[in-house]
Amino acid sequence: MVHRANASHVGSCFSSVDVLAVLYGRVLNVRPDQPDWADRDRFILSKGHAAAAVYAVLAETGFLPMEDLERYGQNGSSMMTHVSHRIRGVEFSTGSLGHGLPFGVGKALAARRLGADWRTFVLLSDGEMDAGSNWEALMFAAHHGLDNLVAVIDYNKLQSLTTIAETLALEPFADKLQAFGWDVRELDGHDHDTLYDALSSTPWTPGRPAVVLAHTVKGKGVSFMENRVEWHYRSPNAELLARAMAEVRGDDA
Amino acid sequence: MRNAFIDELVTAAAADPRVALVVGDLGFSVVEPFATRFPDRFINAGVAEQDLMGLAAGLASEGFHPFVYSIANFPLFRCAEQIRNDVDYHELPVTVVAVGGGLSYGALGYSHHAVQDYGLIRLMPNMLIAAPGDPAEVRACMRYLMAHPQPSYLRLGKAGEPLVHEAIPDIAPGRWVPVREGTGTATLLTTGATLALGRAWLERPEFAGFSLHTLPLWGLRHKGSQPAQVSRWTHVLTIEDHLADAGFGSWLAEACSGQVSGTRLEVRALSHEIFGKVGDQHTLNALGGLR
């Protein structure tokens, strides 16, 4: 998809696709044949630049025909390279960072007011935690005891120009989140079983929203992309695409 | 206007459980009637406007109709991107309510002067602009918005605006409402709190024979209905307590560009001379050119 569209953000897709696979494969209570089913769990991709990963997962789980992925980033298509609500199964368009968590807070609050049982999940990037709007939302969710809200932070430790540590350090990250009133679990964001255990068991404490600090690797699964900041923006040429596909498929194993 | 707003909102909330009031730590002595009666639907998000607007969009996406109330610059310029991306683009029924439109918070200074708000909001294709001119128009706008929930901006004055209409007027998007018929083919056209100013100007010799019209529901989507209405007149003078740039008169001129001939369109609005000055609303309006 990214190669065909000559689009960016493939590294960010690989860092978060395991979280998405666990959410859509095992955790979210959704119906692919009924994307607007009222009692579904809500999922919001706040790091909208990982749209390719979400579209791929939606296709894999039956929300979209697989051939729709060929329209990704193509001229005249509505399959934007930042996630779009015009695509079946997508709740909310993002692209500008710092929007998903406040919106998710509104959904979680609505569920509470409506007496509904569904949960709201928001996937954020680590770099977008620079945005003050997220810390406003963290405060609000804790203050209102929104334990039907789950945030997952894709903590790959790279931003678009350099590392998190060199840009605006987030550490001690877990302590900050805890201090804002959230229950925090740190785990390997590529380990499906660990992710499943955490994401399927919220609220961990009644009355407290949950945040998974998912330690991930940008470009995970493709050796020449892993932990390389340039793969925030680059798309693979034909030769690199072939190498990447071989590695992802495990042809070298 | 604030009291008419909260009165209508309480009435609406009693009839419709989707109505919510979301504030950013503002509204002392205004919001209490709602907060007391509907505590579950009154949300004070604190001094955190970006979260406030985002969560209002989230509430709206689940069927609520939130009214986001604050002093004009906070829910508008601070939240411009949340309005653009979260509310307008997703076509969610959030009504952004700005209190203190124009220079009604004159003494509080530049930060609280709402004279660029039309310019920002009228760029949002789905936002309906409701800029009532008196308490009767506030009630009319509120009833319209309740019957037609959509992305919208309600621009209020403060308190004490004189009642101009004898009854709650019949309004529709983009349609001019007659306030007083004249004898000629010229009219004053106002939006927002300059309705009373327009009525006062009718008494001047230079506007003898002019009629007075008001336009409390407008926005980008309703430009198309303007040329036919403007063509009826030989002279239309718009009055607004907003900068001339990107304001109401500019909107009308753009709407009529290339569509209307034989009508003199004249814009009377504020100049940037008011920046950096404080004073009461009347004084600042005069300093800015509305005299």
Side-chain angles (χ1 to χ4, degrees), chain A:
Chain A
M1 294 166 74
V2 174
H3 165 72
R4 193 185 301 115
N6 193 25
S8 48
H9 303 123
V10 66
S12 309
C13 292
F14 282 138
S15 66
S16 52
V17 74
D18 287 306
V19 171
L20 291 167
V22 171
L23 280 171
Y24 276 92
R26 303 169 67 182
V27 174
L28 294 179
N29 186 23
V30 289
R31 294 177 176 173
D33 59 339
Q34 221 182 324
D36 297 327
W37 173 48
D39 293 329
R40 72 193 181 280
D41 287 331
R42 272 61 164 170
F43 171 74
I44 294 150
L45 180 72
S46 191
K47 47 171 290 182
H49 52 289
V54 167
Y55 298 154
V57 168
L58 288 174
E60 198 66 48
T61 47
F63 282 88
L64 299 174
M66 203 55 87
E67 56 267 26
D68 276 13
L69 302 183
E70 293 170 17
R71 300 191 294 121
Y72 173 79
Q74 298 301 304
N75 286 335
S77 157
S78 56
M79 201 163 246
M80 302 175 196
T81 66
H82 284 96
V83 74
S84 170
H85 69 288
R86 293 167 197 262
I87 302 303
R88 189 181 146 91
V90 175
E91 298 275 355
F92 187 56
S93 292
T94 53
S96 180
L97 298 171
H99 286 244
L101 192 58
F103 187 78
V105 162
K107 281 195 172 286
L109 186 65
R112 183 63 54 75
R113 294 291 185 264
L114 296 167
D117 290 334
W118 45 265
R119 291 185 294 167
T120 300
F121 293 79
V122 182
L123 176 57
L124 301 107
S125 76
D126 46 10
E128 86 169 295
M129 295 306 291
D130 295 350
S133 55
N134 284 328
W135 297 94
E136 293 178 1
L138 288 168
M139 286 211 303
F140 185 98
H143 180 87
H144 288 270
L146 298 178
D147 61 10
N148 55 353
L149 179 64
V150 185
V152 182
I153 299 174
D154 175 10
Y155 196 18
N156 59 53
K157 301 163 195 75
L158 288 181
Q159 294 195 214
S160 78
L161 299 182
T162 181
T163 61
I164 295 275
E166 289 180 2
T167 308
L168 279 178
L170 289 167
E171 291 295 341
F173 200 6
D175 291 347
K176 289 177 184 170
L177 296 165
Q178 188 87 31
F180 270 65
W182 286 56
D183 266 1
V184 189
R185 286 198 192 172
E186 290 193 75
L187 48 78
D188 177 350
H190 300 298
D191 182 327
H192 286 211
D193 288 337
T194 308
L195 280 167
Y196 173 75
D197 288 343
L199 294 170
S200 60
S201 58
T202 66
W204 305 320
T205 309
R208 287 170 72 91
V211 54
V212 171
L213 198 48
H215 290 275
T216 60
V217 174
K218 201 153 181 169
K220 173 73 175 177
V222 179
S223 59
F224 59 88
M225 292 183 183
E226 287 192 355
N227 276 319
R228 300 290 295 266
V229 76
E230 65 264 33
W231 287 100
H232 187 78
Y233 289 119
R234 278 184 76 182
S235 66
N237 60 23
E239 180 206 335
L240 291 177
L241 173 67
R243 277 178 58 192
M245 291 302 286
E247 287 193 23
V248 171
R249 289 189 180 118
D251 293 356
D252 294 343

